[in-house]
Amino acid sequence: MATGTTGPAGGTGTNAPGRARIQARHLRTDRWWLSPAVTVAILSAFIVYSTWRAFANDDYFAEPYVSPFYSPCLASKCDSMPMSANAPLFGDWWGLSPALLILIFPLGFRLTCYYYRKAYYRGFWASPSACAVPEPRGRYSGETRFPLIMQNIHRYFFYFATVVAVILSWDVLIAFRDEHGAWGHMGLGTLVLLANVLLIWAYTLSCHSCRHIVGGKLKHFSKHPVRYRFWGFVSRLNGRHMELAWASLFSVALADLYVYLVASNAFDDPRFF
């Protein structure tokens, strides 16, 4: 296919010197825009929902279930949640929703996640929207300037996300009680929270940073058989990182919604035993 003369002198990106000059923005004929459009729609819906629930400061505890948006509770002005992860580190002076104190950690973990960066860069910023579709900007500096240079602290958000996953696991354990605190009971909410924490653990452990922490800098796997086995397990999860990222996003929203509906008396939690 004839492409004409090279790009104008002094141009950048697709107009850089030596690049073929093509009048069309791209030559793709498939629905390349569908994937980024779906990403924008789903992430926007989650942002709206999570923002509403984070500022609601109500209906986040229904004995024995705790919303993952509000656990652990780091403020004094929280609902009375027996045996839950309450640590009033911020005392009485914190007047806003306690969810705002904890959501920064799982949110930061997802915002700096390698897969989510690809997803929302393409969806919201068209950087680029798809393969062989150039981005609309003339310059590209990567993640070398503020604020995108902050993406490099993803590993530290991984540490915090692991702590949050441990706390949510405790919340699942106490969900095997009834409303009176007696052990040995299970309701539908128990299964909802259990499914959520399993997906959160799978997403967290499939993280690229986790894989590097487990097996990085090892020169001889044979000398570290335990780390090698764990590295192999994490590597298999890493191959499903995209699916786990979306599944855990849906599950955490569903778990919060379920607790909200039970706490607001929209329906009674079905008990199996």
Side-chain angles (χ1 to χ4, degrees), residues 14-262:
T14 56
N15 294 323
R19 298 291 297 273
R21 180 181 296 176
I22 301 176
Q23 298 301 323
R25 182 166 177 261
H26 59 82
L27 300 179
R28 292 187 61 168
T29 58
D30 62 322
R31 293 185 293 179
W32 57 267
W33 48 266
L34 183 59
S35 178
V38 171
T39 297
V40 169
I42 295 177
L43 290 182
S44 296
F46 180 80
I47 291 171
V48 171
Y49 173 80
S50 59
T51 301
W52 165 58
R53 287 294 295 142
F55 282 93
N57 195 19
D58 196 13
D59 295 327
Y60 55 83
F61 177 72
E63 184 76 28
Y65 308 132
V66 184
S67 165
F69 283 14
Y70 286 82
S71 183
C73 185
L74 302 180
S76 297
K77 298 180 180 179
C78 296
D79 288 348
S80 177
M81 300 186 290
M83 297 188 67
S84 299
N86 297 331
L89 302 178
F90 287 79
D92 295 328
W93 65 269
W94 182 261
L96 300 177
S97 170
L100 302 178
L101 295 172
I102 190 59
L103 284 181
I104 184 62
F105 300 111
L107 177 62
F109 180 57
R110 289 183 184 267
L111 279 177
T112 59
C113 167
Y114 293 114
Y115 168 70
Y116 277 117
R117 279 145 70 172
K118 168 190 171 183
Y120 67 77
Y121 280 14
R122 288 186 172 188
F124 289 94
W125 298 341
S127 183
S129 298
C131 293
V133 179
E135 59 181 291
R137 298 163 189 80
R139 295 182 178 181
Y140 175 69
S141 61
E143 297 173 341
T144 60
R145 299 179 181 178
F146 184 83
L148 293 185
I149 196 173
M150 299 298 292
Q151 303 282 28
N152 295 318
I153 64 175
H154 176 63
R155 168 174 293 196
Y156 302 102
F157 276 119
F158 165 75
Y159 299 145
F160 286 112
T162 302
V163 174
V164 172
V166 171
I167 294 173
L168 295 183
S169 300
W170 172 256
D171 291 338
V172 172
L173 179 62
I174 65 174
F176 284 92
R177 304 179 304 157
D178 61 14
E179 62 275 10
H180 305 295
W183 291 92
H185 299 273
M186 185 180 74
L188 178 59
T190 308
L191 298 181
V192 171
L193 295 183
L194 177 61
N196 175 58
V197 80
L198 290 177
L199 287 172
I200 286 180
W201 270 116
Y203 167 63
T204 303
L205 294 178
S206 70
C207 170
H208 296 75
S209 292
C210 178
R211 185 171 180 267
H212 177 74
I213 292 170
V214 172
K217 297 183 179 180
L218 289 182
K219 295 183 179 180
H220 304 284
F221 278 128
S222 60
K223 295 182 180 180
H224 305 272
V226 176
R227 290 184 63 181
Y228 174 69
R229 286 182 177 273
F230 193 38
W231 178 82
F233 169 72
V234 171
S235 296
R236 289 191 293 273
L237 285 179
N238 184 255
R240 298 288 183 180
H241 193 52
M242 179 186 71
E243 293 89 339
L244 293 172
W246 286 114
S248 61
L249 188 74
F250 284 117
S251 71
V252 72
L254 177 62
D256 173 80
L257 177 62
Y258 187 88
V259 175
Y260 165 73
L261 292 175
V262 175

